[in-house]
Amino acid sequence: GQKNTGFVFVEDDSILNEQEVPLFKTEICEAQADARSFYSLYRSPLQRGLSSCIYRHGTVAFYIRRGLMEIIANERRREQVCRFPIDMYISRLGPWYAPRQEIVMHSGAARVGSTS
């Protein structure tokens, strides 16, 4: 059968914390080795406020296994709404984990191709 590989997604307005570059690589390798379906590399403001390692929302940077990505891609409700909030969808399938360190930050700048 096909090997269940994973992907790392990084938004165009994310910022890699220069002091945590080695940890970025380590976290991805551990997520792959532990066969985690999803692992956020970003700590949302809500998560920071709760001092938690539980993923809440945000898709700034994350690791995801092929199987979970296929579930999201094939979700039939995606055709029924103008914007499908995959972070909220992923969160409901969890619980998932996120780091306690600030590995990746979010600039909040306009995204590539954005008209706003």
Side-chain angles (χ1 to χ4, degrees):
Q2 183 181 14
K3 186 177 178 182
N4 192 1
T5 57
F7 307 92
V8 174
F9 287 87
V10 180
E11 287 185 359
D12 58 345
D13 59 348
S14 64
I15 301 167
L16 180 59
N17 182 344
E18 291 183 23
Q19 288 93 22
E20 300 294 356
V21 171
L23 188 56
F24 181 81
K25 177 183 172 186
T26 300
E27 295 289 307
I28 293 167
C29 291
E30 286 180 7
Q32 175 73 29
D34 293 345
R36 297 180 192 157
S37 293
F38 179 85
Y39 184 73
S40 179
L41 297 159
Y42 169 71
R43 296 179 70 219
S44 70
L46 176 61
Q47 181 188 346
R48 286 192 299 267
L50 297 173
S51 187
S52 172
C53 64
I54 302 297
Y55 171 75
R56 302 294 180 185
H57 65 87
T59 54
V60 174
F62 61 93
Y63 169 84
I64 189 167
R65 302 276 288 192
R66 177 180 299 276
L68 181 55
M69 193 69 226
E70 288 173 349
I71 290 170
I72 294 167
N74 293 323
E75 171 57 53
R76 62 179 171 74
R77 290 177 289 180
R78 291 183 63 188
E79 299 171 9
Q80 300 169 355
V81 294
C82 64
R83 182 182 173 278
F84 186 72
I86 68 165
D87 59 338
M88 296 292 111
Y89 183 79
I90 290 169
S91 182
R92 291 185 67 214
L93 298 175
W96 310 114
Y97 297 100
R100 290 188 184 270
Q101 301 86 354
E102 302 293 331
I103 298 172
V104 176
M105 296 158 297
H106 190 227
S107 73
R111 294 191 170 121
V112 173
S114 174
T115 57
S116 55

